[in-house]
Amino acid sequence: VQLQASGGGLVQAGGSLRAACAASGFMLDAHNVGWFRQAPGKEREFVSCISEYEDKPYYSDSVKGRFTISRDNAKKTVYLAMNSLKPEDTALYYCAARQGGSLQISAQRYTYWGQGTLVTVSS
């Protein structure tokens, strides 16, 4: 069972990146998936989540209107499109999965975690 996050990088403020979270070893289409991030010296915080049915994506206020979460169950991959990036978006971005149930913003509710992909936004 593994989640592999990728797509991070260095971008100037106002730029865009698309992170991907690929699953192996389990059926991602039966899982809700969330993205979290952790900036240096700060606690991990919720970014976005999407249900197994692709409905009702949910976003934190800090990224709403700029980030879009989506999934391609055939490819067992969930994406996080990040637009209008700001320096305060700089963090290590993690994806996580939990089987069924309601959408959750608490990291403790997730079972599987990826290793993180680094997003750095320069001013």
Side-chain angles (χ1 to χ4, degrees):
V1 174
Q2 188 175 13
L3 288 172
Q4 182 75 34
S6 62
L10 173 63
V11 64
Q12 289 187 332
S16 300
L17 286 171
R18 189 177 76 159
C21 176
S24 60
F26 69 103
M27 299 300 291
L28 187 65
D29 57 358
H31 291 70
N32 297 334
V33 177
W35 283 96
F36 295 79
R37 66 186 182 186
Q38 187 166 18
K42 295 187 177 181
E43 294 186 352
R44 188 172 301 189
E45 65 170 351
F46 167 79
V47 175
S48 180
C49 59
I50 189 168
S51 75
E52 58 190 296
Y53 305 112
E54 302 185 60
D55 59 345
K56 301 179 182 178
Y58 190 73
Y59 302 93
S60 68
D61 288 342
S62 61
V63 307
K64 193 177 298 181
R66 300 187 298 121
F67 290 13
T68 302
I69 191 171
S70 62
R71 64 191 300 159
D72 185 336
N73 286 335
K75 295 183 178 180
K76 300 176 73 174
T77 302
V78 172
Y79 302 97
L80 184 69
M82 300 175 280
N83 299 312
S84 302
L85 282 161
K86 305 174 182 180
E88 51 263 43
D89 293 318
T90 294
L92 192 59
Y93 282 71
Y94 297 90
C95 60
R98 65 185 299 270
Q99 189 169 11
S102 59
L103 291 178
Q104 297 288 336
I105 65 171
S106 171
Q108 287 74 18
R109 297 288 187 175
Y110 288 81
T111 306
Y112 306 117
W113 287 84
Q115 85 291 355
T117 185
L118 182 62
V119 172
T120 304
V121 185
S122 62
S123 57

